[in-house]
Amino acid sequence: AAADGTYTFNDVAMPVNRIFAVEAPYAGFKYRSNFAAVQAGTTALTVPTLKLYDKSTDVSLLKLSQVHLYTDFATSGTVQVLEIYAFTNSSDRAVVISQDGTSIPFIKLPADAQNVGYEAGQDSAPFISADNGLAAPPSDTPYSIIAFFTMPYTGSLEIQQPFAIDAPSIVLLVPQGMS
């Protein structure tokens, strides 16, 4: 490696459309760079920079920017709830979001939530794989996680849900005609 941490590889075959990437395990994470593809006439290729971060399990380093709660009463006796958590990590560490398959530490769902699931939002910054789930490295692009679940509905609904991280904006959307 050069003094600045870069590597140079010589005598590597570079047929058109071959894709190159860098992958590096560090601090219990699997980091992967963006891809670089060989174009016609390419004799040298620079793979996008891969920055490695130390690990933290302190979820208070994450800052919620907004939470949206959507409700759907289409199925009799049940309400489907979708919650979109938009957050950033402007720290200097990759924050581990430990996950046991049924919960995320900073997303506290109502006690009577059923059929719980989570997925990354469509426009989320990319998460990285960690030993116990996933992690959010520092990023200028916000992250988003969608939590979804059902709750029993018998004509009225009360959602009691604590927030483990302060949320400056919470939007609750219900169908027209509901109050």
Side-chain angles (χ1 to χ4, degrees):
D4 66 357
T6 60
Y7 288 82
T8 301
F9 300 93
N10 296 312
D11 300 322
V12 175
M14 296 185 47
V16 172
N17 294 327
R18 177 170 282 172
I19 296 173
F20 289 89
V22 174
E23 186 173 286
Y26 177 75
F29 301 129
K30 292 179 185 172
Y31 286 95
R32 184 175 295 127
S33 72
N34 287 329
F35 300 103
V38 176
Q39 303 296 319
T42 299
T43 58
L45 186 69
T46 301
V47 174
T49 301
L50 179 63
K51 188 166 183 183
L52 308 178
Y53 296 94
D54 287 328
K55 174 181 3 186
S56 176
T57 57
D58 182 1
V59 295
S60 72
L61 294 173
L62 304 175
K63 304 298 179 209
L64 279 174
S65 53
Q66 59 185 331
V67 179
H68 288 195
L69 286 82
Y70 298 89
T71 56
D72 179 355
F73 296 86
T75 303
S76 179
T78 302
V79 59
Q80 169 80 40
V81 181
L82 294 173
E83 300 181 339
I84 302 173
Y85 292 80
F87 58 97
T88 58
N89 177 6
S90 57
S91 76
D92 63 349
R93 302 193 174 265
V95 178
V96 176
I97 302 171
S98 293
Q99 158 173 313
D100 61 8
T102 62
S103 65
I104 293 178
F106 66 90
I107 298 177
K108 307 293 183 192
L109 299 180
D112 52 352
Q114 304 167 357
N115 306 310
V116 174
Y118 302 93
E119 63 184 49
Q122 178 179 348
D123 296 325
S124 177
F127 293 97
I128 57 174
S129 177
D131 291 340
N132 295 324
L134 50 92
S139 175
D140 292 332
T141 302
Y143 290 93
S144 66
I145 293 178
I146 301 170
F148 50 91
F149 55 92
T150 59
M151 294 176 64
Y153 178 68
T154 58
S156 68
L157 177 68
E158 182 175 319
I159 298 176
Q160 293 185 5
Q161 185 170 352
F163 284 85
I165 301 174
D166 287 340
S169 172
I170 301 172
V171 176
L172 172 62
L173 299 167
V174 295
Q176 187 172 355
M178 304 283 303
S179 59

